[in-house]
Amino acid sequence: MADLADKAERARPEYLRDLPEAQGLYDPRFEHDACGVGFLVDMQGRKSHSLVTTALQCLCNLEHRGATNAEPDTGDGAGILIQVPDRFFRAVVGFDLPPAGQYAAGIAFLPGDAGDADTKADFIAKILADEGISLLGWRDTPVDMTVPGLGARQVMPTFRQLFVAKTDPEGVALAGVELDRHVFCARKRIEHEAGVYFPSLSARTFVYKGMLTTAQVRDFYADLRDERVESAIGLVHSRFSTNTFPSWPLAHPYRVV
């Protein structure tokens, strides 16, 4: 047995030989470079902007877990998942929203060309109608186009927030996870038939993400700097791709964890 252990130790890659021995669920063979993930939660479920700010700081602290292009201001991808910021949306959308939980929201990555973006938005409206989902309205997402590096800007989509709702056959508004189940089917149709990607489309959570570095996320999305954007949870991700090239859709893959 001792000879087998010595042989196994010699077979370990050089960079693993200083790591602890395997014990319990830990095995040094699974040590490798990978993305960075952080999660914050208020144990009492209290929503606040300070938690969002702290989560974004956590994301910045994961910079060493993310990759960049040859130009250091083009990131492999980063993002944050928070609860739907209902108070904020009511103040900025310019149209009426149902009670919190009875509408779903998300950012659509539409084509960069304005005309093509409008065409895709019209197609999305038809799919939603076919699914029996009401389109409440669109909102242009405020972004700072100067923040990402050249490589990211060259393939940057148009960012529009979509707000939808649905009622059951008796006219009762769907809410929460029940609404999310119907919206999920519509989102998959939109992605396959219209070719439009959504980082999230949900009545419960909302994702801001992009082909950005960790520090660029807050600077790129003006919403994240607004005191009215509040959440009791924050899930952040800094991407280190190992088998794919970076892109806007591939950043921050988490919708449900």
Side-chain angles (χ1 to χ4, degrees):
M1 292 295 291
D3 290 341
L4 288 175
D6 290 342
K7 185 179 294 186
E9 179 63 25
R10 289 194 299 272
R12 293 172 71 184
E14 186 69 33
Y15 67 91
L16 291 180
R17 293 182 184 174
D18 293 331
L19 294 174
E21 295 296 324
Q23 55 179 318
L25 296 177
Y26 173 79
D27 191 317
R29 291 177 301 170
F30 302 131
E31 289 277 2
H32 56 83
D33 291 333
C35 305
V37 180
F39 183 70
L40 285 80
V41 61
D42 184 292
M43 297 294 286
Q44 281 72 49
R46 298 166 298 189
K47 296 181 179 181
S48 68
H49 183 68
S50 63
L51 187 137
V52 176
T53 300
T54 304
L56 289 168
Q57 182 58 56
C58 174
L59 178 60
C60 290
N61 293 344
L62 292 171
E63 180 182 7
H64 64 291
R65 303 304 301 174
T68 62
N69 196 353
E71 50 191 35
D73 55 353
T74 292
D76 200 8
I80 180 171
L81 176 149
I82 59 175
Q83 291 172 299
V84 171
D86 178 68
R87 184 167 77 97
F88 170 72
F89 284 149
R90 290 186 186 281
V92 300
V93 294
F95 48 85
D96 292 334
L97 290 173
Q102 292 183 14
Y103 68 91
I107 299 177
F109 283 7
L110 296 164
D113 178 81
D116 291 343
D118 290 339
T119 300
K120 292 289 188 181
D122 291 340
F123 189 21
I124 289 170
K126 293 178 181 178
I127 294 175
L128 293 172
D130 189 49
E131 291 288 327
I133 294 174
S134 301
L135 196 165
L136 302 175
W138 292 91
R139 173 184 180 245
D140 291 333
T141 307
V143 297
D144 186 342
M145 307 286 281
T146 67
V147 169
L150 178 61
R153 291 199 306 272
Q154 288 176 332
V155 292
M156 184 184 298
T158 296
F159 307 93
R160 292 185 193 170
Q161 293 168 359
L162 174 67
F163 298 82
V164 299
K166 183 177 174 64
T167 58
D168 67 13
E170 285 72 41
V172 178
L174 302 183
V177 67
E178 187 176 8
L179 175 57
D180 279 359
R181 291 190 183 105
H182 290 270
V183 172
F184 170 83
C185 295
R187 177 175 64 78
K188 297 301 286 186
R189 279 194 62 187
I190 291 168
E191 290 179 0
H192 287 289
E193 297 175 28
V196 174
Y197 178 84
F198 282 83
S200 65
L201 187 59
S202 169
R204 298 172 294 161
T205 57
F206 198 92
V207 171
Y208 291 92
K209 75 171 194 177
M211 193 172 157
L212 306 163
T213 66
T214 58
Q216 289 174 343
V217 175
R218 181 179 183 274
D219 294 335
F220 183 70
Y221 288 108
D223 290 0
L224 293 172
R225 303 191 299 275
D226 194 297
E227 294 285 338
R228 295 167 294 183
V229 173
E230 300 167 319
S231 179
I233 63 170
L235 174 65
V236 296
H237 176 260
S238 175
R239 186 170 187 261
F240 187 110
S241 62
T242 54
N243 60 353
T244 57
F245 288 110
S247 72
W248 285 87
L250 288 180
H252 191 82
Y254 303 108
R255 290 189 178 105
V256 177
V257 176

mmCIF file of all heavy atoms in Angstrom, residues 5 8-9 12 16-29:
data_model
loop_
_atom_site.group_PDB
_atom_site.id
_atom_site.type_symbol
_atom_site.label_atom_id
_atom_site.label_comp_id
_atom_site.label_asym_id
_atom_site.label_seq_id
_atom_site.Cartn_x
_atom_site.Cartn_y
_atom_site.Cartn_z
ATOM 1 N N ALA A 5 0.893 4.425 -2.616
ATOM 2 C CA ALA A 5 0.739 5.818 -2.194
ATOM 3 C C ALA A 5 1.875 6.673 -2.744
ATOM 4 O O ALA A 5 1.654 7.798 -3.198
ATOM 5 C CB ALA A 5 0.695 5.901 -0.669
ATOM 6 N N ALA A 8 1.273 7.233 -6.418
ATOM 7 C CA ALA A 8 0.213 8.216 -6.634
ATOM 8 C C ALA A 8 0.727 9.625 -6.388
ATOM 9 O O ALA A 8 0.392 10.559 -7.110
ATOM 10 C CB ALA A 8 -0.975 7.920 -5.717
ATOM 11 N N GLU A 9 1.575 9.785 -5.372
ATOM 12 C CA GLU A 9 2.118 11.104 -5.063
ATOM 13 C C GLU A 9 3.019 11.588 -6.184
ATOM 14 O O GLU A 9 2.971 12.759 -6.577
ATOM 15 C CB GLU A 9 2.903 11.043 -3.750
ATOM 16 C CG GLU A 9 3.547 12.356 -3.342
ATOM 17 C CD GLU A 9 2.547 13.459 -3.070
ATOM 18 O OE1 GLU A 9 1.400 13.157 -2.725
ATOM 19 O OE2 GLU A 9 2.919 14.638 -3.218
ATOM 20 N N ARG A 12 1.074 12.990 -9.150
ATOM 21 C CA ARG A 12 0.361 14.265 -9.012
ATOM 22 C C ARG A 12 1.131 15.364 -9.740
ATOM 23 O O ARG A 12 2.361 15.417 -9.672
ATOM 24 C CB ARG A 12 0.210 14.651 -7.532
ATOM 25 C CG ARG A 12 -0.695 13.723 -6.744
ATOM 26 C CD ARG A 12 -0.641 14.041 -5.274
ATOM 27 N NE ARG A 12 -1.301 15.306 -4.949
ATOM 28 C CZ ARG A 12 -1.323 15.836 -3.739
ATOM 29 N NH1 ARG A 12 -0.700 15.226 -2.741
ATOM 30 N NH2 ARG A 12 -1.953 16.971 -3.520
ATOM 31 N N LEU A 16 0.245 20.548 -7.671
ATOM 32 C CA LEU A 16 -0.650 19.999 -6.656
ATOM 33 C C LEU A 16 0.098 19.424 -5.461
ATOM 34 O O LEU A 16 -0.519 19.104 -4.449
ATOM 35 C CB LEU A 16 -1.527 18.894 -7.265
ATOM 36 C CG LEU A 16 -2.594 19.312 -8.287
ATOM 37 C CD1 LEU A 16 -3.348 18.084 -8.781
ATOM 38 C CD2 LEU A 16 -3.567 20.300 -7.668
ATOM 39 N N ARG A 17 1.416 19.328 -5.537
ATOM 40 C CA ARG A 17 2.133 18.562 -4.512
ATOM 41 C C ARG A 17 2.220 19.282 -3.183
ATOM 42 O O ARG A 17 2.488 18.667 -2.163
ATOM 43 C CB ARG A 17 3.523 18.193 -5.032
ATOM 44 C CG ARG A 17 3.430 17.199 -6.190
ATOM 45 C CD ARG A 17 4.771 16.772 -6.714
ATOM 46 N NE ARG A 17 4.609 15.905 -7.888
ATOM 47 C CZ ARG A 17 5.603 15.470 -8.636
ATOM 48 N NH1 ARG A 17 6.844 15.825 -8.354
ATOM 49 N NH2 ARG A 17 5.359 14.698 -9.671
ATOM 50 N N ASP A 18 1.990 20.609 -3.183
ATOM 51 C CA ASP A 18 2.016 21.345 -1.924
ATOM 52 C C ASP A 18 0.637 21.513 -1.311
ATOM 53 O O ASP A 18 0.494 22.117 -0.251
ATOM 54 C CB ASP A 18 2.641 22.738 -2.127
ATOM 55 C CG ASP A 18 4.118 22.651 -2.472
ATOM 56 O OD1 ASP A 18 4.751 21.679 -2.037
ATOM 57 O OD2 ASP A 18 4.604 23.537 -3.183
ATOM 58 N N LEU A 19 -0.377 20.973 -1.961
ATOM 59 C CA LEU A 19 -1.737 21.103 -1.443
ATOM 60 C C LEU A 19 -2.005 20.034 -0.386
ATOM 61 O O LEU A 19 -1.305 19.020 -0.321
ATOM 62 C CB LEU A 19 -2.743 20.952 -2.583
ATOM 63 C CG LEU A 19 -2.709 22.062 -3.646
ATOM 64 C CD1 LEU A 19 -3.653 21.723 -4.780
ATOM 65 C CD2 LEU A 19 -3.082 23.402 -3.032
ATOM 66 N N PRO A 20 -3.027 20.227 0.445
ATOM 67 C CA PRO A 20 -3.346 19.220 1.472
ATOM 68 C C PRO A 20 -3.705 17.880 0.859
ATOM 69 O O PRO A 20 -4.085 17.789 -0.311
ATOM 70 C CB PRO A 20 -4.557 19.841 2.197
ATOM 71 C CG PRO A 20 -4.516 21.296 1.882
ATOM 72 C CD PRO A 20 -3.903 21.402 0.516
ATOM 73 N N GLU A 21 -3.591 16.833 1.642
ATOM 74 C CA GLU A 21 -3.983 15.504 1.196
ATOM 75 C C GLU A 21 -5.498 15.427 1.088
ATOM 76 O O GLU A 21 -6.229 16.193 1.716
ATOM 77 C CB GLU A 21 -3.477 14.437 2.180
ATOM 78 C CG GLU A 21 -1.971 14.335 2.258
ATOM 79 C CD GLU A 21 -1.368 13.888 0.938
ATOM 80 O OE1 GLU A 21 -1.987 13.057 0.242
ATOM 81 O OE2 GLU A 21 -0.274 14.374 0.595
ATOM 82 N N ALA A 22 -5.969 14.474 0.274
ATOM 83 C CA ALA A 22 -7.406 14.265 0.146
ATOM 84 C C ALA A 22 -8.003 13.862 1.487
ATOM 85 O O ALA A 22 -7.424 13.038 2.215
ATOM 86 C CB ALA A 22 -7.681 13.189 -0.903
ATOM 87 N N GLN A 23 -9.124 14.461 1.843
ATOM 88 C CA GLN A 23 -9.837 14.093 3.062
ATOM 89 C C GLN A 23 -11.294 14.500 2.934
ATOM 90 O O GLN A 23 -11.610 15.557 2.376
ATOM 91 C CB GLN A 23 -9.214 14.772 4.287
ATOM 92 C CG GLN A 23 -9.118 16.281 4.184
ATOM 93 C CD GLN A 23 -8.514 16.894 5.427
ATOM 94 O OE1 GLN A 23 -8.843 16.489 6.531
ATOM 95 N NE2 GLN A 23 -7.619 17.856 5.240
ATOM 96 N N GLY A 24 -12.198 13.644 3.399
ATOM 97 C CA GLY A 24 -13.617 13.934 3.285
ATOM 98 C C GLY A 24 -14.018 14.140 1.837
ATOM 99 O O GLY A 24 -13.699 13.347 0.957
ATOM 100 N N LEU A 25 -14.694 15.262 1.569
ATOM 101 C CA LEU A 25 -15.119 15.578 0.204
ATOM 102 C C LEU A 25 -14.050 16.332 -0.574
ATOM 103 O O LEU A 25 -14.227 16.624 -1.760
ATOM 104 C CB LEU A 25 -16.407 16.416 0.235
ATOM 105 C CG LEU A 25 -17.647 15.726 0.812
ATOM 106 C CD1 LEU A 25 -18.818 16.704 0.850
ATOM 107 C CD2 LEU A 25 -18.020 14.501 -0.017
ATOM 108 N N TYR A 26 -12.932 16.660 0.082
ATOM 109 C CA TYR A 26 -11.877 17.427 -0.585
ATOM 110 C C TYR A 26 -10.901 16.499 -1.300
ATOM 111 O O TYR A 26 -10.458 15.484 -0.752
ATOM 112 C CB TYR A 26 -11.106 18.282 0.428
ATOM 113 C CG TYR A 26 -9.894 18.955 -0.174
ATOM 114 C CD1 TYR A 26 -10.039 20.101 -0.947
ATOM 115 C CD2 TYR A 26 -8.617 18.426 0.008
ATOM 116 C CE1 TYR A 26 -8.938 20.712 -1.526
ATOM 117 C CE2 TYR A 26 -7.512 19.028 -0.557
ATOM 118 C CZ TYR A 26 -7.679 20.179 -1.323
ATOM 119 O OH TYR A 26 -6.583 20.770 -1.889
ATOM 120 N N ASP A 27 -10.565 16.852 -2.519
ATOM 121 C CA ASP A 27 -9.558 16.113 -3.271
ATOM 122 C C ASP A 27 -8.741 17.136 -4.051
ATOM 123 O O ASP A 27 -9.298 17.898 -4.852
ATOM 124 C CB ASP A 27 -10.208 15.121 -4.236
ATOM 125 C CG ASP A 27 -9.192 14.151 -4.835
ATOM 126 O OD1 ASP A 27 -8.089 14.613 -5.220
ATOM 127 O OD2 ASP A 27 -9.493 12.954 -4.930
ATOM 128 N N PRO A 28 -7.418 17.184 -3.837
ATOM 129 C CA PRO A 28 -6.593 18.192 -4.501
ATOM 130 C C PRO A 28 -6.581 18.069 -6.022
ATOM 131 O O PRO A 28 -6.209 19.011 -6.722
ATOM 132 C CB PRO A 28 -5.197 17.956 -3.919
ATOM 133 C CG PRO A 28 -5.213 16.550 -3.429
ATOM 134 C CD PRO A 28 -6.609 16.310 -2.956
ATOM 135 N N ARG A 29 -7.012 16.936 -6.565
ATOM 136 C CA ARG A 29 -7.043 16.779 -8.016
ATOM 137 C C ARG A 29 -8.034 17.744 -8.666
ATOM 138 O O ARG A 29 -7.943 18.034 -9.852
ATOM 139 C CB ARG A 29 -7.436 15.342 -8.385
ATOM 140 C CG ARG A 29 -6.385 14.292 -8.042
ATOM 141 C CD ARG A 29 -6.902 12.915 -8.369
ATOM 142 N NE ARG A 29 -8.126 12.609 -7.625
ATOM 143 C CZ ARG A 29 -8.892 11.541 -7.860
ATOM 144 N NH1 ARG A 29 -8.570 10.708 -8.834
ATOM 145 N NH2 ARG A 29 -9.978 11.329 -7.137
#
